[in-house]
Amino acid sequence: MLTKKIEDICNRQIEREGYSSNLYLAMASWAETNGFGGVASWLYVQADEERMHMLKFIRYVNERGGVAIVPALKKPASEFKGVEELFREVLKHEEFITASINEIVALTLEEKDFNTYNFLQWFVSEQVEEEASVRAILDKVKLVGKNNMYQFDRDIMSLRTSQADTQATT
Ligand code: OFO
């Protein structure tokens, strides 16, 4: 059984994961309508992953005797200055999510809720991977500059395709 504090903070995280999904959807839609098909497909997949993160929390809260609340979501921006700025925002958002997950981990230790602590370990590793992959994309986008955005867009598309291939074979 979850304590009220853990239930509440997990519900806060459900809202944050849902917002992440919407934010990346908005970014994907912007990229798609601005000629960046590769960036759009990377973001659409990311949006799906965030939804899956939200679902993981929903299922967990309910399974542990709490009540998961499906939140209303804040409307994300629909305009972005450019691809580099967009990925800077993605990184900033992921760092915020990492801090948010760490806060829950800290609370589970305070509350001696080792089941939730365990459940969160998947998210702790996931955040390390997500931040690293966004940093790698940002490095790449800085290297190519504005001149070779077409090639960058192709590259990022193949990045997702190869990730999907690896996941499918593991
Ligand atoms: Fe980006 O990992 Fe969930 O939010």
Side-chain angles (χ1 to χ4, degrees):
M1 187 84 186
L2 297 178
T3 64
K4 181 80 176 100
K5 273 190 187 171
I6 298 285
E7 181 179 346
D8 287 350
I9 205 167
C10 284
N11 271 316
R12 185 186 77 175
Q13 194 63 26
I14 288 169
E15 194 273 332
R16 289 181 175 175
E17 299 293 344
Y19 178 74
S20 304
S21 181
N22 258 18
L23 174 64
Y24 297 152
L25 261 186
M27 288 175 166
S29 181
W30 174 86
E32 192 164 49
T33 51
N34 281 274
F36 301 109
V39 172
S41 58
W42 190 91
L43 287 160
Y44 278 128
V45 173
Q46 198 59 33
D48 281 347
E49 286 190 5
E50 298 301 350
R51 184 169 187 279
M52 187 267 284
H53 297 170
M54 175 177 69
L55 281 174
K56 269 185 189 281
F57 268 99
I58 290 176
R59 304 296 299 269
Y60 178 76
V61 168
N62 290 339
E63 189 180 285
R64 304 271 302 122
V67 178
I69 311 287
V70 176
L73 300 175
K74 208 167 64 196
K75 182 179 174 292
S78 50
E79 281 299 323
F80 300 90
K81 287 199 192 108
V83 169
E84 184 175 338
E85 291 77 1
L86 181 149
F87 278 107
R88 277 186 204 288
E89 262 190 64
V90 173
L91 181 59
K92 207 168 95 193
H93 185 70
E94 286 304 323
E95 286 169 345
F96 164 73
I97 294 294
T98 300
S100 180
I101 295 285
N102 288 345
E103 224 183 292
I104 313 177
V105 173
L107 187 65
T108 61
L109 292 177
E110 238 173 69
E111 299 273 298
K112 297 191 171 35
D113 180 348
F114 302 115
N115 292 318
T116 305
Y117 177 89
N118 244 348
F119 163 74
L120 290 168
Q121 296 316 299
W122 183 88
F123 286 90
V124 170
S125 323
E126 177 72 5
Q127 284 311 116
V128 172
E129 269 177 39
E130 289 202 340
E131 281 193 26
S133 73
V134 179
R135 281 200 189 93
I137 291 172
L138 258 178
D139 286 346
K140 210 172 173 56
V141 85
K142 277 185 221 153
L143 271 181
V144 300
K146 299 238 182 308
N147 303 334
N148 217 346
M149 211 36 106
Y150 178 79
Q151 189 52 44
F152 167 80
D153 193 53
R154 298 295 96 181
D155 285 357
I156 193 169
M157 188 169 303
S158 60
L159 193 74
R160 263 310 188 197
T161 315
S162 59
Q163 271 178 3
D165 289 347
T166 320
Q167 274 166 8
T169 53
T170 50

